[in-house]
Amino acid sequence: LWADWIKNDDRKDTRSWHYINLPDSEQNTYKTSCPENGCLIAAFHEQMDILNNPSKTSRERAEALWFVGHFVGDVHQPMHVGYPEDRGGNDIKLTFLGKPTNFHIIWDVHMIEYLNMDYKQLSDELMQMKEENYSLNPDDWVYETHQDVKRLYAEIQNKNEINIDYINNKIPFIKHKLFKAGSTLAMVLNEIFK
């Protein structure tokens, strides 16, 4: 959460590092238009370079590690790999169990809070999952998550409300994405510190 806190206070220049907006016509993360100070994948690579550079200070490398962990989570959250025309779901107004909100916040906050599980309970459950297809290539993470985005957008066409049926239907998907993010981060860290 540190990276989210600082983007609103001390480090406003890092706001655009938390997402990459891709139109369906552009799947190449290097060709997508990012704000001047970068977006998710460019920032991930920049922080990996800092983390792997022994000439950087301990503080710089610690911050880079915090960013890398956060960005691996962000790239697995569907609305952080959304569409530019609606700012990653922020402009799609919906209700969540009767409460006005937007599609981005539903996936960034409300769906996770709805699980109502403490971190230990959730991590114990996720540790029971098994996944075989991992990649250390951030472009693969973006591609996979963007495919999720396409499905999620198709499912909310002509909907104004996210109801209990939708939420319950998405719980296995949410847990899978959390597991995939955690497992991917573990692989990234193993690669860094081998």
Side-chain angles (χ1 to χ4, degrees):
L1 292 174
W2 168 83
D4 283 333
W5 295 331
I6 66 161
K7 75 179 183 184
N8 295 317
D9 295 321
D10 304 340
R11 301 280 304 276
K12 291 183 179 173
D13 60 308
T14 67
R15 283 183 179 174
S16 65
W17 294 3
H18 296 259
Y19 63 88
I20 183 168
N21 287 328
L22 292 171
D24 284 338
S25 62
E26 185 57 73
Q27 296 301 306
N28 184 334
T29 60
Y30 294 99
K31 289 185 179 176
T32 192
S33 76
C34 290
E36 184 178 320
N37 50 325
C39 51
L40 182 57
I41 299 306
F44 174 83
H45 287 298
E46 180 182 314
Q47 296 305 309
M48 286 292 288
D49 289 346
I50 292 169
L51 189 54
N52 287 308
N53 184 343
S55 70
K56 295 293 183 180
T57 67
S58 295
R59 176 64 187 193
E60 289 170 317
R61 293 177 77 198
E63 283 190 8
L65 179 61
W66 298 336
F67 275 124
V68 164
H70 189 91
F71 296 157
V72 170
D74 277 350
V75 79
H76 286 83
Q77 197 282 62
M79 296 304 120
H80 286 248
V81 186
Y83 294 114
E85 59 270 14
D86 63 30
R87 301 179 315 119
N90 279 292
D91 295 336
I92 298 177
K93 304 303 180 200
L94 296 165
T95 61
F96 182 84
L97 301 176
K99 178 180 157 188
T101 188
N102 67 60
F103 202 35
H104 186 100
I105 296 298
I106 286 170
W107 281 96
D108 217 22
V109 177
H110 298 317
M111 296 291 271
I112 299 297
E113 287 178 349
Y114 181 81
L115 292 176
N116 198 28
M117 299 172 84
D118 66 43
Y119 293 114
K120 171 92 172 82
Q121 180 185 8
L122 182 57
S123 66
D124 287 348
E125 182 176 331
L126 296 180
M127 292 301 290
Q128 303 305 311
M129 295 179 154
K130 304 241 183 300
E131 179 74 44
E132 296 178 17
N133 298 321
Y134 293 109
S135 170
L136 284 171
N137 183 345
D139 289 328
D140 293 339
W141 312 335
V142 168
Y143 179 79
E144 179 182 314
T145 301
H146 198 64
Q147 299 313 302
D148 295 334
V149 167
K150 291 177 185 179
R151 284 189 295 278
L152 293 172
Y153 272 68
E155 293 169 358
I156 64 155
Q157 288 295 332
N158 304 315
K159 286 190 184 220
N160 296 321
E161 181 178 346
I162 299 301
N163 62 26
I164 194 77
D165 293 333
Y166 178 92
I167 297 165
N168 287 334
N169 183 296
K170 291 296 171 224
I171 288 175
F173 171 75
I174 294 165
K175 290 179 180 179
H176 171 76
K177 291 300 283 187
L178 289 169
F179 176 75
K180 185 93 179 207
S183 299
T184 301
L185 178 57
M187 279 190 357
V188 168
L189 295 176
N190 285 339
E191 188 67 20
I192 292 168
F193 296 110
K194 66 180 176 184

